[in-house]
Amino acid sequence: SSDLLNALKGADMELPVLDEGVTFDTGAADVSKIKLTTGAIWTSVATAGDADIQFQVASIAGEVNELLMNKVVESAAMTATFNGKTYEGAGYNTEPKKVTGALFMTSEDGSTALYLPNIEGYSNLISERGKPAYFNVAVSPMNDKNKASIYILKEKEIVAPGG
């Protein structure tokens, strides 16, 4: 509905996603064929498959941590030094965190966009040798009040006055 899209005036947070760090598969249908006693196919019935939508968010900065991890210790600081340095930060548990909200993604050139108005996601922190630490966020699109789980949008052409 236009009301939902009009409410989207700005983003709460833009997430830095790793290059090639997006998987967007809404799920292949699981098709069951119903046969007659003669063996001929009478009809088929499809059920939605499981969506596989994942993002790899390349950051372990404060705001991203707050969004994608469960903070359990507000402030932590070292009193000793390690290699001549001291460190400070916060404490988080490693349980996957549930994140809810909406997701808006645009193509590289900004000409098209996908809007998922109601998502549930779960994130976990990954650190691998030779790569920056990142969060893997698995997203499940949910229907909105209009029963839509995704809006596929294209850039609106602006016509100059008198043209």
Side-chain angles (χ1 to χ4, degrees), residues 79-122:
T79 55
T81 61
F82 182 77
N83 290 337
K85 298 178 183 181
T86 60
Y87 297 90
E88 63 185 3
Y92 303 85
N93 68 29
T94 56
E95 296 172 14
K97 181 176 181 181
K98 182 177 184 178
V99 180
T100 59
L103 188 61
F104 187 81
M105 303 173 294
T106 61
S107 61
E108 287 289 322
D109 66 0
S111 65
T112 58
L114 297 177
Y115 176 52
L116 287 72
N118 185 19
I119 63 107
E120 290 184 350
Y122 289 89

Side-chain angles (χ1 to χ4, degrees), residues 28-36 39-49:
D30 182 18
V31 179
S32 297
K33 295 176 183 172
I34 300 171
K35 296 182 179 184
L36 299 171
I41 296 174
W42 177 54
T43 190
S44 61
V45 177
T47 56

